[in-house]
Amino acid sequence: AAGPRRAGVSAFGVSGTNAHIIVAEAPAPEDAGVPETRGGDGLLAGAPLAWPVSGRTAAGLAAQAGRLARWVAARPEADPADVAWSLATGRAGLEHRALVTGASAAELAAGLAAVAAGDPAPGVVTGVVPLSGTGRTGFVFAGQGSQRAGMGAQLHACSPVFAQAFDQACGLLEAELGVPVAEVVLGSGEDDRADQTLYAQAGLFAVEAGLVALLAACGVTPDAVAGHSVGEVTAAYAAGVLTLEDACRLVAARARLMQALPAGGAMTAIAAAEAEVTQALEGVAGVSVAAVNGPSSVVVSGDAEAVGQVAGVFRDRGVRVRGLRVSHAFHSHRMDPVLGELAGVAARLAYAVPRIPWAGALTGELVSEPGAGYWARQAREPVRFADAVMALAGQGVSVFVEIGPDGTLSALGPAALGERDGVFVPVLRPDRPAAASVLAALARAHVHGAAVDWPAVFGGGRPVDLPTYAFQHQRYWPPLRPAQAEVAALGLGLNNHPLLAAAAELAGGRGFLFAGRVSVPSHPWLAGHVVAGRVLLPETAFVELAVRAGDAAGCSRLADLTVTTPLVLPGHTAAHIQVLVGAPAQDGQRPVEIYARAEGAAVEDPWTRHATGRLAQAAPAGAFTGAEDFTRWPPEGADVVPAGPEPDGVRAAWRRGADVFAEVALPDDDAAGAGAFGLHPALLSAALRVAELTGERATPGAVSRPQAWTGVTLHAAGASVLRVRLRPGAGDTVTLAAADDQGTPVLSAEKVLLLPVPPEQLAEAGDGLAGALFGVEWVPVAGGGAGAGDDAVAVSGVADGGAAVADAGGAV
């Protein structure tokens, strides 16, 4: 029939129909219209791949990185570019952040593993966003001295956005100067013209203008700006004070006039305070302070002989001094001959009020109404870079992005900040490829709170279904598994254990009796433990029962346990459980037996023994010795074993030689109650199920079950995620070691025997329970009653004890 399928559901209670639901077939999913948006290399051709990850806390970040690493390991077919796109567009940027870069999925996965472990690694950048929720971003523009030949060549080749802005600025500068600026900036690294003032200042402005445009395309724009020497012109341009055309006119005039000055000056950096340097300058003509870059970082400039004399004073004191590679003595009296003409050029320019705060390095204060006179003074007086940095910090800037070809200002900035928080991020570095350098700068800015438009950077991709957030659960109840002394003081209190509800000491020192009740309605996680069509209490539940009873009886180690009969639970059946812990033998071990009987059984009905074993008083020293170092995860040198989409709690699996590794987890609904168990039986079952992933233990017509356990020690309680190693032993045995998702030991078993259980054995095991409860049977009616047709059936119900409930002989 046309249209969606529908079904009606009614619920009948003591008062008649009390609920009606009409269930309709879900509409066909509509095309979400998600385009194939992958655009190749995005804004940075040839840049490494990048995966941003974040968490609300440091533990959340580590857990999220680990979860993503496992997801990737289980899906080698996933496209790393699609993962990057999906992380950028489908996940929030929380306070604790990491960005992992790499050339391949393997490198990215290794970086995620490092983040999960809290270890440093190549290609991994981590940081924390300030409490305000975002880090205000400041741009600091480098001045002369940071230039180099070919400083824009790589970025010009890999970034069309940079190339367009650079070409526009360079065209204006070359029209003013009449020299081939681009030829030097985009040429080889051996062009001596790069250090000439004419090319250096013009080239720096063109590169910095291109970087401003590129970062804007990446979503990074400044909240405030400052500059060093000629970098102040770019700062004024970025703040909207000067148009690009006027900024190029000013830079060209400044470079041309200073280039024409006679050579012979010198500049030297001195690692001393400004007051010390000023005192040393007294009585020395021809030298003055040119820059104050930090509390112990001053530059002097002037006549070469005078500069050398001052430098010698500090050198004799053991203070570090360093001569700068410059063609002229900038910010000294040697600039005086060109200041008038420079002021005349500046007077012909148009100025606007800064649209963002601009910390002027002339005074170290915010510039509100810049005018023509600023630029003549700025070329002659000291650069107060340290004060400008503090002014930016006063505007709330905590991420200082250095715009220039090197990290000169980033080396000076932290000292200028003093005790204030802030990170300096150079965009370009001469020792790494330009695309990788820009990406690394974006990464560092991002993890400290700068807004980065990662989809624009990546250039597109297809969305993939990534793991959800790794919520960090925190318990506020007292521990549900008290220490041994506390248990004794409680008189065998079980502290709300999910499987055991009561305990008693047997008279005459004969041991202890523990009792409980289990059913699918009261323990919904059992509904997922179906074997050969029957709900089975997992054998791991017997381990949990024995260990819990042993704890209360003073025996914390399970020496051995053998499951003799499976416990089948039909969906409507409950079973009563008894755990008997006997008197200790001479070696201190106690026997343990586990029985069950159907709820509602007659008093004379027997109890079925399902497991028997021995409990020991304590685990031997080093019970976990020899296990894997689970803090290094995924396991090193292991190959991925395809496990499908997390089957039965197995998130991912690996093999290394004969060993099999896996990460297993409880569903979210069950994980919330994991703390009430020593180790949740479903989680331990998932850990053992890993052996089946190898394909070596499959037996046609049967299901492999853990039949016997030896040397079981529970090291920690309440885990909801396990890192597991199974190591084959003799015959059908394995050695089991498991830790939590932080690598802390949880459980070790010296030997687990895995044997196939034929379906008929499970059928026989369930007969005793099924017959004791209500049953509904539908049987065909032979001959039929009045009005009975070929399809008529008789309905009968039998209550516990055989009393008839209903009998309808007519047609139904």
PDB file of all heavy atoms in Angstrom, residues 498-499 518-530 535-538 540-541 544 569 666-667 669-671 673 677 679-683 685:
ATOM      1  N   PRO A 498      25.360  -5.161  43.515  1.00  0.00           N
ATOM      2  CA  PRO A 498      24.232  -5.425  42.603  1.00  0.00           C
ATOM      3  C   PRO A 498      23.782  -6.877  42.568  1.00  0.00           C
ATOM      4  O   PRO A 498      22.639  -7.145  42.179  1.00  0.00           O
ATOM      5  CB  PRO A 498      24.796  -5.002  41.238  1.00  0.00           C
ATOM      6  CG  PRO A 498      25.908  -4.056  41.545  1.00  0.00           C
ATOM      7  CD  PRO A 498      26.506  -4.548  42.818  1.00  0.00           C
ATOM      8  N   LEU A 499      24.643  -7.833  42.927  1.00  0.00           N
ATOM      9  CA  LEU A 499      24.281  -9.239  42.829  1.00  0.00           C
ATOM     10  C   LEU A 499      24.043  -9.896  44.181  1.00  0.00           C
ATOM     11  O   LEU A 499      23.362 -10.924  44.245  1.00  0.00           O
ATOM     12  CB  LEU A 499      25.384 -10.016  42.088  1.00  0.00           C
ATOM     13  CG  LEU A 499      25.681  -9.564  40.652  1.00  0.00           C
ATOM     14  CD1 LEU A 499      26.814 -10.385  40.061  1.00  0.00           C
ATOM     15  CD2 LEU A 499      24.438  -9.670  39.787  1.00  0.00           C
ATOM     16  N   VAL A 518      18.892 -12.394  40.933  1.00  0.00           N
ATOM     17  CA  VAL A 518      19.278 -11.857  39.640  1.00  0.00           C
ATOM     18  C   VAL A 518      18.191 -12.165  38.633  1.00  0.00           C
ATOM     19  O   VAL A 518      17.595 -13.253  38.637  1.00  0.00           O
ATOM     20  CB  VAL A 518      20.636 -12.447  39.175  1.00  0.00           C
ATOM     21  CG1 VAL A 518      20.570 -13.946  39.007  1.00  0.00           C
ATOM     22  CG2 VAL A 518      21.104 -11.796  37.885  1.00  0.00           C
ATOM     23  N   SER A 519      17.904 -11.186  37.772  1.00  0.00           N
ATOM     24  CA  SER A 519      16.930 -11.360  36.696  1.00  0.00           C
ATOM     25  C   SER A 519      17.195 -10.317  35.626  1.00  0.00           C
ATOM     26  O   SER A 519      17.863  -9.301  35.880  1.00  0.00           O
ATOM     27  CB  SER A 519      15.498 -11.218  37.212  1.00  0.00           C
ATOM     28  OG  SER A 519      15.230  -9.872  37.564  1.00  0.00           O
ATOM     29  N   VAL A 520      16.639 -10.536  34.473  1.00  0.00           N
ATOM     30  CA  VAL A 520      16.816  -9.562  33.384  1.00  0.00           C
ATOM     31  C   VAL A 520      16.134  -8.237  33.716  1.00  0.00           C
ATOM     32  O   VAL A 520      16.715  -7.169  33.506  1.00  0.00           O
ATOM     33  CB  VAL A 520      16.307 -10.140  32.044  1.00  0.00           C
ATOM     34  CG1 VAL A 520      16.341  -9.079  30.951  1.00  0.00           C
ATOM     35  CG2 VAL A 520      17.146 -11.347  31.644  1.00  0.00           C
ATOM     36  N   PRO A 521      14.904  -8.226  34.253  1.00  0.00           N
ATOM     37  CA  PRO A 521      14.303  -6.921  34.587  1.00  0.00           C
ATOM     38  C   PRO A 521      15.102  -6.124  35.602  1.00  0.00           C
ATOM     39  O   PRO A 521      15.195  -4.901  35.506  1.00  0.00           O
ATOM     40  CB  PRO A 521      12.917  -7.306  35.131  1.00  0.00           C
ATOM     41  CG  PRO A 521      12.615  -8.620  34.492  1.00  0.00           C
ATOM     42  CD  PRO A 521      13.942  -9.335  34.428  1.00  0.00           C
ATOM     43  N   SER A 522      15.675  -6.810  36.606  1.00  0.00           N
ATOM     44  CA  SER A 522      16.412  -6.068  37.635  1.00  0.00           C
ATOM     45  C   SER A 522      17.858  -5.797  37.226  1.00  0.00           C
ATOM     46  O   SER A 522      18.506  -4.921  37.804  1.00  0.00           O
ATOM     47  CB  SER A 522      16.398  -6.844  38.957  1.00  0.00           C
ATOM     48  OG  SER A 522      17.027  -8.114  38.804  1.00  0.00           O
ATOM     49  N   HIS A 523      18.370  -6.529  36.252  1.00  0.00           N
ATOM     50  CA  HIS A 523      19.734  -6.341  35.763  1.00  0.00           C
ATOM     51  C   HIS A 523      19.677  -6.273  34.233  1.00  0.00           C
ATOM     52  O   HIS A 523      19.967  -7.269  33.545  1.00  0.00           O
ATOM     53  CB  HIS A 523      20.647  -7.490  36.205  1.00  0.00           C
ATOM     54  CG  HIS A 523      20.733  -7.651  37.692  1.00  0.00           C
ATOM     55  ND1 HIS A 523      19.766  -8.303  38.430  1.00  0.00           N
ATOM     56  CD2 HIS A 523      21.670  -7.245  38.592  1.00  0.00           C
ATOM     57  CE1 HIS A 523      20.099  -8.291  39.712  1.00  0.00           C
ATOM     58  NE2 HIS A 523      21.249  -7.647  39.850  1.00  0.00           N
ATOM     59  N   PRO A 524      19.254  -5.139  33.674  1.00  0.00           N
ATOM     60  CA  PRO A 524      19.002  -5.055  32.220  1.00  0.00           C
ATOM     61  C   PRO A 524      20.211  -5.397  31.364  1.00  0.00           C
ATOM     62  O   PRO A 524      20.049  -5.810  30.213  1.00  0.00           O
ATOM     63  CB  PRO A 524      18.584  -3.584  32.029  1.00  0.00           C
ATOM     64  CG  PRO A 524      18.097  -3.138  33.372  1.00  0.00           C
ATOM     65  CD  PRO A 524      18.915  -3.889  34.369  1.00  0.00           C
ATOM     66  N   TRP A 525      21.405  -5.245  31.882  1.00  0.00           N
ATOM     67  CA  TRP A 525      22.582  -5.553  31.081  1.00  0.00           C
ATOM     68  C   TRP A 525      22.647  -7.029  30.706  1.00  0.00           C
ATOM     69  O   TRP A 525      23.322  -7.420  29.751  1.00  0.00           O
ATOM     70  CB  TRP A 525      23.862  -5.141  31.825  1.00  0.00           C
ATOM     71  CG  TRP A 525      24.011  -5.689  33.208  1.00  0.00           C
ATOM     72  CD1 TRP A 525      23.564  -5.124  34.358  1.00  0.00           C
ATOM     73  CD2 TRP A 525      24.649  -6.918  33.587  1.00  0.00           C
ATOM     74  NE1 TRP A 525      23.880  -5.912  35.438  1.00  0.00           N
ATOM     75  CE2 TRP A 525      24.558  -7.026  34.999  1.00  0.00           C
ATOM     76  CE3 TRP A 525      25.300  -7.932  32.882  1.00  0.00           C
ATOM     77  CZ2 TRP A 525      25.083  -8.104  35.706  1.00  0.00           C
ATOM     78  CZ3 TRP A 525      25.822  -9.011  33.589  1.00  0.00           C
ATOM     79  CH2 TRP A 525      25.709  -9.092  34.978  1.00  0.00           C
ATOM     80  N   LEU A 526      21.907  -7.887  31.437  1.00  0.00           N
ATOM     81  CA  LEU A 526      21.896  -9.309  31.109  1.00  0.00           C
ATOM     82  C   LEU A 526      21.196  -9.582  29.783  1.00  0.00           C
ATOM     83  O   LEU A 526      21.459 -10.599  29.135  1.00  0.00           O
ATOM     84  CB  LEU A 526      21.193 -10.094  32.223  1.00  0.00           C
ATOM     85  CG  LEU A 526      21.976 -10.264  33.531  1.00  0.00           C
ATOM     86  CD1 LEU A 526      21.071 -10.838  34.604  1.00  0.00           C
ATOM     87  CD2 LEU A 526      23.187 -11.157  33.304  1.00  0.00           C
ATOM     88  N   ALA A 527      20.297  -8.686  29.372  1.00  0.00           N
ATOM     89  CA  ALA A 527      19.562  -8.899  28.132  1.00  0.00           C
ATOM     90  C   ALA A 527      20.484  -8.942  26.926  1.00  0.00           C
ATOM     91  O   ALA A 527      20.155  -9.529  25.900  1.00  0.00           O
ATOM     92  CB  ALA A 527      18.514  -7.798  27.953  1.00  0.00           C
ATOM     93  N   GLY A 528      21.631  -8.344  27.049  1.00  0.00           N
ATOM     94  CA  GLY A 528      22.587  -8.372  25.951  1.00  0.00           C
ATOM     95  C   GLY A 528      23.510  -9.568  25.972  1.00  0.00           C
ATOM     96  O   GLY A 528      24.349  -9.719  25.087  1.00  0.00           O
ATOM     97  N   HIS A 529      23.354 -10.425  26.993  1.00  0.00           N
ATOM     98  CA  HIS A 529      24.246 -11.586  27.107  1.00  0.00           C
ATOM     99  C   HIS A 529      23.479 -12.837  26.685  1.00  0.00           C
ATOM    100  O   HIS A 529      23.081 -13.667  27.504  1.00  0.00           O
ATOM    101  CB  HIS A 529      24.756 -11.714  28.548  1.00  0.00           C
ATOM    102  CG  HIS A 529      25.968 -12.590  28.663  1.00  0.00           C
ATOM    103  ND1 HIS A 529      27.216 -12.169  28.288  1.00  0.00           N
ATOM    104  CD2 HIS A 529      26.108 -13.862  29.082  1.00  0.00           C
ATOM    105  CE1 HIS A 529      28.079 -13.141  28.492  1.00  0.00           C
ATOM    106  NE2 HIS A 529      27.430 -14.183  28.964  1.00  0.00           N
ATOM    107  N   VAL A 530      23.256 -12.932  25.379  1.00  0.00           N
ATOM    108  CA  VAL A 530      22.488 -14.040  24.810  1.00  0.00           C
ATOM    109  C   VAL A 530      23.449 -14.996  24.132  1.00  0.00           C
ATOM    110  O   VAL A 530      24.262 -14.597  23.296  1.00  0.00           O
ATOM    111  CB  VAL A 530      21.445 -13.527  23.810  1.00  0.00           C
ATOM    112  CG1 VAL A 530      20.675 -14.694  23.192  1.00  0.00           C
ATOM    113  CG2 VAL A 530      20.490 -12.559  24.495  1.00  0.00           C
ATOM    114  N   VAL A 535      19.306 -16.301  27.380  1.00  0.00           N
ATOM    115  CA  VAL A 535      19.973 -15.337  28.253  1.00  0.00           C
ATOM    116  C   VAL A 535      20.772 -16.110  29.287  1.00  0.00           C
ATOM    117  O   VAL A 535      20.220 -16.932  30.025  1.00  0.00           O
ATOM    118  CB  VAL A 535      18.960 -14.411  28.943  1.00  0.00           C
ATOM    119  CG1 VAL A 535      19.683 -13.451  29.886  1.00  0.00           C
ATOM    120  CG2 VAL A 535      18.169 -13.633  27.906  1.00  0.00           C
ATOM    121  N   LEU A 536      22.054 -15.848  29.331  1.00  0.00           N
ATOM    122  CA  LEU A 536      22.965 -16.604  30.189  1.00  0.00           C
ATOM    123  C   LEU A 536      23.632 -15.660  31.178  1.00  0.00           C
ATOM    124  O   LEU A 536      24.102 -14.580  30.796  1.00  0.00           O
ATOM    125  CB  LEU A 536      24.032 -17.273  29.314  1.00  0.00           C
ATOM    126  CG  LEU A 536      24.944 -18.308  29.987  1.00  0.00           C
ATOM    127  CD1 LEU A 536      24.149 -19.551  30.326  1.00  0.00           C
ATOM    128  CD2 LEU A 536      26.096 -18.660  29.049  1.00  0.00           C
ATOM    129  N   LEU A 537      23.614 -16.029  32.454  1.00  0.00           N
ATOM    130  CA  LEU A 537      24.427 -15.272  33.410  1.00  0.00           C
ATOM    131  C   LEU A 537      25.886 -15.507  33.039  1.00  0.00           C
ATOM    132  O   LEU A 537      26.348 -16.663  33.030  1.00  0.00           O
ATOM    133  CB  LEU A 537      24.174 -15.753  34.835  1.00  0.00           C
ATOM    134  CG  LEU A 537      24.917 -14.961  35.920  1.00  0.00           C
ATOM    135  CD1 LEU A 537      24.330 -13.561  36.072  1.00  0.00           C
ATOM    136  CD2 LEU A 537      24.880 -15.702  37.251  1.00  0.00           C
ATOM    137  N   PRO A 538      26.617 -14.466  32.686  1.00  0.00           N
ATOM    138  CA  PRO A 538      27.984 -14.695  32.221  1.00  0.00           C
ATOM    139  C   PRO A 538      28.839 -15.352  33.301  1.00  0.00           C
ATOM    140  O   PRO A 538      28.678 -15.098  34.493  1.00  0.00           O
ATOM    141  CB  PRO A 538      28.485 -13.293  31.881  1.00  0.00           C
ATOM    142  CG  PRO A 538      27.589 -12.365  32.606  1.00  0.00           C
ATOM    143  CD  PRO A 538      26.264 -13.046  32.700  1.00  0.00           C
ATOM    144  N   THR A 540      31.672 -14.731  34.003  1.00  0.00           N
ATOM    145  CA  THR A 540      32.407 -13.685  34.720  1.00  0.00           C
ATOM    146  C   THR A 540      31.641 -13.194  35.942  1.00  0.00           C
ATOM    147  O   THR A 540      32.242 -12.648  36.875  1.00  0.00           O
ATOM    148  CB  THR A 540      32.686 -12.517  33.772  1.00  0.00           C
ATOM    149  OG1 THR A 540      31.443 -12.094  33.157  1.00  0.00           O
ATOM    150  CG2 THR A 540      33.660 -12.927  32.675  1.00  0.00           C
ATOM    151  N   ALA A 541      30.302 -13.381  35.947  1.00  0.00           N
ATOM    152  CA  ALA A 541      29.529 -13.006  37.135  1.00  0.00           C
ATOM    153  C   ALA A 541      29.868 -13.916  38.308  1.00  0.00           C
ATOM    154  O   ALA A 541      29.871 -13.490  39.468  1.00  0.00           O
ATOM    155  CB  ALA A 541      28.034 -13.073  36.831  1.00  0.00           C
ATOM    156  N   GLU A 544      32.912 -12.477  39.812  1.00  0.00           N
ATOM    157  CA  GLU A 544      32.564 -11.311  40.618  1.00  0.00           C
ATOM    158  C   GLU A 544      31.965 -11.740  41.947  1.00  0.00           C
ATOM    159  O   GLU A 544      32.301 -11.191  43.006  1.00  0.00           O
ATOM    160  CB  GLU A 544      31.583 -10.425  39.851  1.00  0.00           C
ATOM    161  CG  GLU A 544      30.959  -9.295  40.647  1.00  0.00           C
ATOM    162  CD  GLU A 544      31.930  -8.198  41.041  1.00  0.00           C
ATOM    163  OE1 GLU A 544      33.061  -8.166  40.478  1.00  0.00           O
ATOM    164  OE2 GLU A 544      31.591  -7.368  41.890  1.00  0.00           O
ATOM    165  N   LEU A 569      18.909 -17.887  32.118  1.00  0.00           N
ATOM    166  CA  LEU A 569      17.833 -17.052  32.644  1.00  0.00           C
ATOM    167  C   LEU A 569      16.873 -16.718  31.510  1.00  0.00           C
ATOM    168  O   LEU A 569      17.100 -15.755  30.768  1.00  0.00           O
ATOM    169  CB  LEU A 569      18.401 -15.756  33.237  1.00  0.00           C
ATOM    170  CG  LEU A 569      19.323 -15.883  34.444  1.00  0.00           C
ATOM    171  CD1 LEU A 569      19.984 -14.544  34.731  1.00  0.00           C
ATOM    172  CD2 LEU A 569      18.540 -16.356  35.648  1.00  0.00           C
ATOM    173  N   LEU A 666      32.033  -0.498  28.632  1.00  0.00           N
ATOM    174  CA  LEU A 666      30.615  -0.695  28.864  1.00  0.00           C
ATOM    175  C   LEU A 666      29.815   0.357  28.117  1.00  0.00           C
ATOM    176  O   LEU A 666      30.287   1.487  27.932  1.00  0.00           O
ATOM    177  CB  LEU A 666      30.305  -0.577  30.359  1.00  0.00           C
ATOM    178  CG  LEU A 666      30.819  -1.695  31.273  1.00  0.00           C
ATOM    179  CD1 LEU A 666      30.629  -1.287  32.729  1.00  0.00           C
ATOM    180  CD2 LEU A 666      30.091  -3.003  30.982  1.00  0.00           C
ATOM    181  N   PRO A 667      28.590   0.044  27.704  1.00  0.00           N
ATOM    182  CA  PRO A 667      27.711   1.094  27.180  1.00  0.00           C
ATOM    183  C   PRO A 667      27.497   2.161  28.239  1.00  0.00           C
ATOM    184  O   PRO A 667      27.626   1.911  29.443  1.00  0.00           O
ATOM    185  CB  PRO A 667      26.407   0.339  26.861  1.00  0.00           C
ATOM    186  CG  PRO A 667      26.794  -1.099  26.782  1.00  0.00           C
ATOM    187  CD  PRO A 667      27.954  -1.283  27.703  1.00  0.00           C
ATOM    188  N   ASP A 669      24.877   3.451  29.492  1.00  0.00           N
ATOM    189  CA  ASP A 669      23.869   3.149  30.513  1.00  0.00           C
ATOM    190  C   ASP A 669      24.430   2.242  31.603  1.00  0.00           C
ATOM    191  O   ASP A 669      24.080   2.367  32.782  1.00  0.00           O
ATOM    192  CB  ASP A 669      22.655   2.485  29.857  1.00  0.00           C
ATOM    193  CG  ASP A 669      21.880   3.456  28.975  1.00  0.00           C
ATOM    194  OD1 ASP A 669      22.088   4.674  29.125  1.00  0.00           O
ATOM    195  OD2 ASP A 669      21.079   2.986  28.135  1.00  0.00           O
ATOM    196  N   ASP A 670      25.277   1.290  31.221  1.00  0.00           N
ATOM    197  CA  ASP A 670      25.853   0.377  32.201  1.00  0.00           C
ATOM    198  C   ASP A 670      27.050   0.983  32.917  1.00  0.00           C
ATOM    199  O   ASP A 670      27.332   0.640  34.072  1.00  0.00           O
ATOM    200  CB  ASP A 670      26.283  -0.918  31.512  1.00  0.00           C
ATOM    201  CG  ASP A 670      25.091  -1.684  30.941  1.00  0.00           C
ATOM    202  OD1 ASP A 670      23.980  -1.488  31.446  1.00  0.00           O
ATOM    203  OD2 ASP A 670      25.287  -2.443  29.978  1.00  0.00           O
ATOM    204  N   ALA A 671      27.782   1.867  32.212  1.00  0.00           N
ATOM    205  CA  ALA A 671      28.983   2.455  32.811  1.00  0.00           C
ATOM    206  C   ALA A 671      28.650   3.233  34.077  1.00  0.00           C
ATOM    207  O   ALA A 671      29.451   3.298  35.010  1.00  0.00           O
ATOM    208  CB  ALA A 671      29.684   3.355  31.803  1.00  0.00           C
ATOM    209  N   GLY A 673      26.753   2.465  36.414  1.00  0.00           N
ATOM    210  CA  GLY A 673      26.672   1.596  37.586  1.00  0.00           C
ATOM    211  C   GLY A 673      27.890   0.740  37.804  1.00  0.00           C
ATOM    212  O   GLY A 673      27.880  -0.143  38.685  1.00  0.00           O
ATOM    213  N   PHE A 677      30.273  -2.531  41.226  1.00  0.00           N
ATOM    214  CA  PHE A 677      30.887  -3.840  41.085  1.00  0.00           C
ATOM    215  C   PHE A 677      32.379  -3.756  41.418  1.00  0.00           C
ATOM    216  O   PHE A 677      32.991  -2.684  41.330  1.00  0.00           O
ATOM    217  CB  PHE A 677      30.758  -4.328  39.642  1.00  0.00           C
ATOM    218  CG  PHE A 677      29.367  -4.693  39.220  1.00  0.00           C
ATOM    219  CD1 PHE A 677      28.523  -3.746  38.670  1.00  0.00           C
ATOM    220  CD2 PHE A 677      28.903  -5.991  39.359  1.00  0.00           C
ATOM    221  CE1 PHE A 677      27.244  -4.074  38.260  1.00  0.00           C
ATOM    222  CE2 PHE A 677      27.628  -6.338  38.959  1.00  0.00           C
ATOM    223  CZ  PHE A 677      26.785  -5.383  38.405  1.00  0.00           C
ATOM    224  N   LEU A 679      34.370  -5.671  39.410  1.00  0.00           N
ATOM    225  CA  LEU A 679      34.560  -5.504  37.971  1.00  0.00           C
ATOM    226  C   LEU A 679      33.284  -5.991  37.301  1.00  0.00           C
ATOM    227  O   LEU A 679      32.878  -7.148  37.477  1.00  0.00           O
ATOM    228  CB  LEU A 679      35.764  -6.291  37.464  1.00  0.00           C
ATOM    229  CG  LEU A 679      36.076  -6.130  35.970  1.00  0.00           C
ATOM    230  CD1 LEU A 679      36.314  -4.663  35.621  1.00  0.00           C
ATOM    231  CD2 LEU A 679      37.270  -6.971  35.565  1.00  0.00           C
ATOM    232  N   HIS A 680      32.644  -5.114  36.565  1.00  0.00           N
ATOM    233  CA  HIS A 680      31.355  -5.441  35.951  1.00  0.00           C
ATOM    234  C   HIS A 680      31.497  -6.702  35.097  1.00  0.00           C
ATOM    235  O   HIS A 680      32.384  -6.798  34.245  1.00  0.00           O
ATOM    236  CB  HIS A 680      30.893  -4.274  35.087  1.00  0.00           C
ATOM    237  CG  HIS A 680      29.434  -4.295  34.775  1.00  0.00           C
ATOM    238  ND1 HIS A 680      28.836  -5.298  34.047  1.00  0.00           N
ATOM    239  CD2 HIS A 680      28.431  -3.421  35.104  1.00  0.00           C
ATOM    240  CE1 HIS A 680      27.546  -5.048  33.927  1.00  0.00           C
ATOM    241  NE2 HIS A 680      27.269  -3.915  34.568  1.00  0.00           N
ATOM    242  N   PRO A 681      30.639  -7.710  35.307  1.00  0.00           N
ATOM    243  CA  PRO A 681      30.760  -8.956  34.536  1.00  0.00           C
ATOM    244  C   PRO A 681      30.705  -8.748  33.030  1.00  0.00           C
ATOM    245  O   PRO A 681      31.402  -9.433  32.279  1.00  0.00           O
ATOM    246  CB  PRO A 681      29.564  -9.786  35.033  1.00  0.00           C
ATOM    247  CG  PRO A 681      29.311  -9.271  36.418  1.00  0.00           C
ATOM    248  CD  PRO A 681      29.604  -7.807  36.357  1.00  0.00           C
ATOM    249  N   ALA A 682      29.872  -7.816  32.569  1.00  0.00           N
ATOM    250  CA  ALA A 682      29.783  -7.584  31.124  1.00  0.00           C
ATOM    251  C   ALA A 682      31.099  -7.040  30.573  1.00  0.00           C
ATOM    252  O   ALA A 682      31.490  -7.351  29.442  1.00  0.00           O
ATOM    253  CB  ALA A 682      28.644  -6.621  30.818  1.00  0.00           C
ATOM    254  N   LEU A 683      31.795  -6.243  31.373  1.00  0.00           N
ATOM    255  CA  LEU A 683      33.069  -5.701  30.922  1.00  0.00           C
ATOM    256  C   LEU A 683      34.135  -6.781  30.864  1.00  0.00           C
ATOM    257  O   LEU A 683      34.921  -6.860  29.909  1.00  0.00           O
ATOM    258  CB  LEU A 683      33.506  -4.566  31.860  1.00  0.00           C
ATOM    259  CG  LEU A 683      34.731  -3.763  31.425  1.00  0.00           C
ATOM    260  CD1 LEU A 683      34.480  -3.056  30.100  1.00  0.00           C
ATOM    261  CD2 LEU A 683      35.104  -2.738  32.496  1.00  0.00           C
ATOM    262  N   SER A 685      33.522  -9.952  30.452  1.00  0.00           N
ATOM    263  CA  SER A 685      33.145 -10.815  29.327  1.00  0.00           C
ATOM    264  C   SER A 685      33.638 -10.232  28.014  1.00  0.00           C
ATOM    265  O   SER A 685      34.136 -10.953  27.136  1.00  0.00           O
ATOM    266  CB  SER A 685      31.626 -10.990  29.290  1.00  0.00           C
ATOM    267  OG  SER A 685      31.169 -11.719  30.401  1.00  0.00           O
TER     268      SER A 685
END
